[in-house]
Amino acid sequence: RVYRHESPLLCALVQRPIRLLLALSLGVALASLLGCIRLIWRQSIKRWLVIALLLTLLLSVACAHGGSSMSSVLGFAWDSGHATIGPLTSPILLSLGIGMATPRRRPSDQEEAQLDDLAGFGLIGFSSLLPVMAVEILALCVADADAVWIQRDLR
């Protein structure tokens, strides 16, 4: 249970689930798009994962220093980001990644063809970070926009 007096911001996020659903959906969609762009540009997943992880950690630090109400959203953001990669999303993302990596093969490059087979698997890791970022950004926006509403409801 989420108690309004213990975590008003988390309560505000949960009470309007459409915002949370849209943020998570946009996070997975943006991760899929950026993952496909990465495959088309033939770039390493490491660079993209490091950038996404650093941005997510910076947002986490911003949320942690945003007050007690903001820090309660932090665990929720990380949990919801990993909940988006489940039994339905994972096969779709794997298929997308492997399908995008397959046309890049050249018949003469056997070793490169084996690396291309593995190129699609980084999409799952990338797609678990961007929803975390999306929920953290949503929490920062809701904290500013709903501050008056939260304070009024606490009285």
Side-chain angles (χ1 to χ4, degrees), residues 61-139:
V61 168
C63 287
H65 290 340
S68 63
S69 183
M70 186 69 82
S71 64
S72 67
V73 175
L74 199 55
F76 180 73
W78 282 94
D79 283 345
S80 63
H82 295 293
T84 58
I85 305 301
L88 180 65
T89 313
S90 294
I92 292 171
L93 290 174
L94 281 173
S95 303
L96 178 66
I98 292 171
M100 290 292 293
T102 301
R104 301 180 326 146
R105 290 187 189 163
R106 292 183 211 119
S108 61
D109 294 337
Q110 188 69 314
E111 185 176 315
E112 189 173 321
Q114 288 176 346
L115 290 175
D116 285 347
D117 283 340
L118 298 175
F121 284 95
L123 198 57
I124 298 275
F126 195 61
S127 295
S128 67
L129 284 175
L130 266 61
V132 175
M133 262 198 277
V135 172
E136 289 174 347
I137 291 170
L138 176 67

Side-chain angles (χ1 to χ4, degrees), residues 51-63 78 133 136:
I51 291 170
L53 187 60
L54 287 176
L55 288 174
T56 307
L57 289 175
L58 284 174
L59 280 170
S60 294
V61 168
C63 287
W78 282 94
M133 262 198 277
E136 289 174 347

